[in-house]
Amino acid sequence: MANYSTFAKLYDDLFDESAYEDWFQYATKHIANQQGKVLELAGGAGRLAIMLIKAGYDVAVLDLSTEMLGLAMQHAKQAGVDLPLYEGDMREWSGLTTKFATITSFADSFNYLANEQETLQAFEQVALHLEAGGQFIFDVISPYQTDVYYPGYMYNWHDDETAFMWASYGVEEQAHTAEHELTFFVYDEAIDGYKQIQEIHTERTYELATYIKLLEQAGFKDINVTGDFGRQAKVDEQTPRWFFTATKA
């Protein structure tokens, strides 16, 4: 799974804020029970959760990273909102007894799981923590993203004190898998120079039929899939990201 322990704040600062607006619009359009409790699973620094709270939703965040949850606490305090935070692994979070009307998860969270079995475990945990008839709303990247778009992808950015380099590669003999080499160079006054921070993130995805099969095995029905934050009603072989809505059976 993704490990943000070394540069949670750097990652949070760099993330495209316009994507949060797209996820916000998608979530608010599809959350059926606007009065029910919402859990942002793998909600990271809480930026989307805070947007939802400001719009009147009752939202909590669960994330594996204590550093990300620390940032979520800071953001909530700055925004003047109450944001319940839970630390836990999306594959096993039975210690949380609260049931939710809606559970959301965006930004590739399930693509960091190691295999289909772990994905099924995470889906089962979602079903376990949903109320009867509750909603599951999430996205994943598609095989087009891992097989066509990411191999050879590069992105560079810098300001006066920080530089960021992102390079992505395909992974041989591992279907629909991509590796991201993320490198930050951060100015450090103590050494009057730049400190390098690097992490490797691995993402994998599956055919659409596999996700539907796993959702059904976990206890979901009424599964609907769209693209482009719901603006593409029918996905095709070049859709980079799939958006799912499903109901607990």
Side-chain angles (χ1 to χ4, degrees), residues 13-203:
D13 290 343
L14 188 67
F15 204 91
D16 183 4
E17 291 189 7
S18 65
Y20 287 117
E21 184 62 35
D22 280 332
W23 278 311
F24 172 79
Q25 295 295 335
Y26 178 79
T28 54
K29 180 178 179 181
H30 290 88
I31 294 174
N33 185 353
Q34 297 184 7
Q35 306 305 314
K37 290 182 178 295
V38 178
L39 179 69
E40 253 275 274
L41 177 60
R47 292 188 181 273
L48 177 58
I50 291 168
M51 293 171 70
L52 291 169
I53 290 171
K54 287 184 172 182
Y57 294 85
D58 181 3
V59 188
V61 164
L62 185 145
D63 199 273
L64 179 63
S65 167
T66 56
E67 289 79 8
M68 280 294 188
L69 291 174
L71 289 172
M73 184 182 297
Q74 293 177 26
H75 294 327
K77 184 176 180 180
Q78 291 166 359
V81 302
D82 180 22
L83 175 59
L85 301 171
Y86 303 100
E87 182 178 349
D89 188 322
M90 66 195 306
R91 296 164 294 189
E92 178 54 55
W93 35 299
S94 55
L96 177 61
T97 58
T98 305
K99 297 280 188 176
F100 298 89
T102 305
I103 294 178
T104 62
S105 188
F106 299 112
D108 306 10
S109 298
F110 291 101
N111 297 118
Y112 287 98
L113 297 173
N115 49 50
E116 289 184 32
Q117 181 58 36
E118 289 194 357
T119 305
L120 176 59
Q121 288 174 339
F123 287 172
E124 289 173 338
Q125 288 295 307
V126 172
L128 181 65
H129 290 84
L130 279 172
E131 299 172 353
Q135 274 187 300
F136 183 24
I137 302 173
F138 70 99
D139 68 7
V140 294
I141 55 174
S142 71
Y144 176 83
Q145 190 85 342
T146 55
D147 301 356
V148 179
Y149 182 79
Y150 274 148
Y153 175 83
M154 297 188 70
Y155 173 78
N156 300 316
W157 171 89
H158 71 89
D159 62 12
D160 292 339
E161 295 189 346
T162 307
F164 174 62
M165 300 170 60
W166 171 1
S168 296
Y169 313 92
V171 179
E172 291 185 8
E173 299 182 1
Q174 293 189 36
H176 310 323
T177 302
E179 267 190 359
H180 309 296
E181 185 179 280
L182 308 177
T183 307
F184 282 92
F185 295 91
V186 183
Y187 181 72
D188 186 342
E189 290 185 356
I191 62 173
D192 191 23
Y194 287 85
K195 181 169 58 177
Q196 178 177 328
I197 303 172
Q198 186 177 74
E199 289 191 353
I200 303 295
H201 290 193
T202 302
E203 288 191 277

